[in-house]
């Protein structure tokens, strides 16, 4: 006999989210304005709806193509998760990894690469939502941390394009450690007087928001991107209040002082290049190293590394 009866009904499953990625086909229906858009028009506008400016999701590679002037050099391409917890939920983690690799052609949810952004040699980490929700496990953390270390060695600025559901549940506490690891590397980048720009895209949530996504010298976001830590339903149930309109969207966050810029994707590259120049980056990067106070800053930072 049960002592307590469950009187409350279990929570209803959340309504299925409209896909934000551009589907295959000649014509695409925009989730923002419900109009049909010719697929080739979208390519010309970097997947932004020409009618209502809805920003469709970009893959990690498309993002690099948008930012870099031309070719880029990729690093740590073959790092792959070892499934340290031998984790299984409705499906084994190994099977999820396999499916992610097959659908994206990547080994994990981030690409790190260096190349020129309007002539400025920059280290960019670009997250892929299509790979287990862009979640951050050991591989993502290691790749980003190494990218920052490389940027320090080569005296390059860093740009991280965030697109993630947060830390990767299937790697448990190890994925949470990545938050500290990346933040530590960013602190060293800061001590070396090198700029870091965070670009928050739809969606940036959980452990990614709670760590490196909010640590930029400039925190920029795309319009209407979902940015938050916990989901709105969880917050609503905790504080027992209805949340305001547009809660956890870029425009709401900039009003509350959580972001510095909301930038249309079509201007993102120019804005990043301008911000990097403003913060002292120039091309080629060797020119930065020649300035004396910077060299001192590096020497100061040495005992901590
Ligand atoms: Zn539209």
């Amino acid at each position: 006999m049960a002592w307590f009866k469950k009187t409350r009904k279990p929570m209803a499953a959340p309504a299925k989210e409209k896909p934000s990625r551009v589907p295959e086909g000649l014509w695409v229906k925009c989730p923002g304005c419900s109009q049909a858009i010719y697929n080739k028009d979208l390519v010309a506008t970097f997947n932004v709806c020409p009618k209502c400016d809805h920003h469709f999701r970009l893959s990690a590679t498309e993002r690099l193509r948008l930012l870099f002037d031309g070719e880029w050099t990729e690093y740590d391409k073959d790092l792959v998760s070892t499934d340290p917890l031998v984790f299984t939920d409705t499906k084994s983690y190994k099977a999820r990894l396999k499916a992610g690799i097959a659908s994206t052609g990547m080994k994990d949810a981030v690409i790190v690469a260096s190349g020129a952004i309007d002539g400025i040699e920059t280290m960019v980490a670009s997250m892929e939502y299509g790979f287990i929700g862009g979640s951050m496990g050991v591989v993502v953390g290691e790749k980003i941390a190494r990218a920052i270390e490389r940027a320090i060695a080569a005296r390059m600025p860093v740009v991280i394009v965030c697109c993630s559901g947060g830390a990767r549940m299937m790697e448990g506490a190890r994925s949470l450690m990545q938050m500290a690891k990346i933040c530590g590397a960013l602190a060293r980048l800061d001590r070396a007087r090198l700029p870091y720009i965070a670009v928050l895209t739809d969606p940036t949530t959980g452990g990614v928001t709670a760590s490196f996504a909010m640590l930029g010298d400039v925190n920029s976001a795309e319009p209407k991107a979902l940015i938050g830590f916990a989901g709105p339903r969880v917050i609503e149930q905790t504080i027992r209040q209805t949340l305001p309109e547009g809660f956890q969207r870029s425009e709401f966050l900039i009003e509350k002082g959580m972001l510095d810029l909301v930038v249309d994707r079509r201007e993102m590259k120019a804005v990043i290049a301008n911000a990097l120049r403003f913060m002292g980056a120039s091309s080629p990067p060797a020119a930065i190293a020649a300035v004396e106070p910077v060299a001192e800053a590096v020497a100061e930072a040495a005992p901590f590394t």
Side-chain angles (χ1 to χ4, degrees), residues 254-275:
I254 197 159
E255 206 178 285
K256 305 292 174 200
M258 293 277 285
L259 292 173
D260 300 306
L261 293 167
V262 177
V263 187
D264 189 293
R265 186 179 293 161
R266 290 161 286 191
E267 281 142 36
M268 189 58 92
K269 179 176 173 174
V271 167
I272 289 177
N274 269 343

Side-chain angles (χ1 to χ4, degrees), residues 79-95:
L79 280 190
V80 66
S81 174
T82 54
D83 185 13
L85 305 180
V86 199
F87 191 90
T88 304
D89 48 289
T90 52
K91 225 168 137 187
S92 74
Y93 178 36
K94 277 212 170 68

Side-chain angles (χ1 to χ4, degrees), residues 30 33 49 52:
C30 170
C33 61
C49 171
C52 73

Side-chain angles (χ1 to χ4, degrees), residues 134-207:
S135 54
M136 171 173 62
V138 174
V139 173
V140 169
E142 183 65 21
K143 279 172 94 165
I144 295 179
R146 284 190 195 179
I148 298 164
E149 302 288 350
R150 275 199 191 93
I152 296 170
R155 304 226 33 91
M156 273 183 209
V158 173
V159 172
I160 303 182
V161 183
C162 308
C163 184
S164 173
R168 189 172 292 172
M169 177 183 82
M170 300 81 159
E171 293 185 17
R174 288 179 192 227
S175 63
L176 296 179
M177 294 299 135
Q178 309 313 311
M179 296 166 65
K181 186 161 82 184
I182 295 172
C183 292
L186 283 174
R188 288 193 289 277
L189 185 82
D190 184 53
R191 270 186 232 121
R193 305 285 191 270
L194 290 164
Y196 160 46
I197 297 182
V199 178
L200 284 70
T201 70
D202 184 68
T204 298
T205 57

Side-chain angles (χ1 to χ4, degrees), residues 35 111 140 247 305:
Q35 295 207 41
I111 300 180
V140 169
F247 179 71
T305 50

Side-chain angles (χ1 to χ4, degrees), residues 32-49:
C33 61
S34 304
Q35 295 207 41
I37 317 157
Y38 189 41
N39 218 340
K40 280 195 178 149
D41 289 347
L42 273 182
V43 174
T45 57
F46 303 110
N47 287 358
V48 176
C49 171

